[in-house]
Amino acid sequence: YMGVFNLCNLLTVSVQYYMSSVSSSMALKKHQQKAEMILQSHNIPFEAIDISLIDGAKEKMRELSGNPTAVPPQFFNGDTYCGDFTALEEANEESAAAVRTFLKL
């Protein structure tokens, strides 16, 4: 049973959230905290990908987003780009359904 549960659990995490644990920017830290709060408040499981710790993660984030200067937080569903913090925040202000639509869920 446990193996099936774990497999099902892994399959439900499609949202990837690129973030950085190392930043001198207070705005970036606040955006990341608010983004996590939004995802958690909507019970959306997500995988946090720390670009400051994972080799190549910043480059992948920028490549997948199509923006060579993108900074975290950025949101993806698999390899599909959803948007940045501003877009997530706007969806959250609209409705729970808008957040799920933004994240392509």
Side-chain angles (χ1 to χ4, degrees):
Y1 292 110
M2 202 56 156
V4 172
F5 173 77
N6 287 339
L7 180 61
C8 290
N9 214 17
L10 287 174
L11 294 175
T12 60
V13 179
S14 58
V15 174
Q16 294 179 322
Y17 151 64
Y18 282 73
M19 48 79 71
S20 177
S21 60
V22 179
S23 175
S24 58
S25 166
M26 189 53 72
L28 184 137
K29 289 176 185 175
K30 285 184 177 178
H31 288 174
Q32 290 180 165
Q33 287 173 339
K34 184 157 187 195
E36 289 182 22
M37 186 188 74
I38 290 169
L39 294 172
Q40 289 165 353
S41 71
H42 291 283
N43 296 314
I44 296 170
F46 62 91
E47 175 188 4
I49 299 172
D50 190 338
I51 67 166
S52 63
L53 298 177
I54 302 169
D55 283 345
K58 178 167 61 173
E59 293 75 12
K60 183 175 181 184
M61 173 189 76
R62 289 177 170 175
E63 178 188 330
L64 291 175
S65 70
N67 179 350
T69 59
V71 295
Q74 299 286 334
F75 304 89
F76 299 84
N77 188 322
D79 285 343
T80 303
Y81 182 57
C82 299
D84 62 8
F85 173 74
T86 303
L88 173 68
E89 192 173 41
E90 287 171 1
N92 186 56
E93 288 170 7
E94 188 178 322
S95 67
V99 171
R100 298 189 77 76
T101 300
F102 166 75
L103 294 170
K104 302 178 183 352
L105 296 172

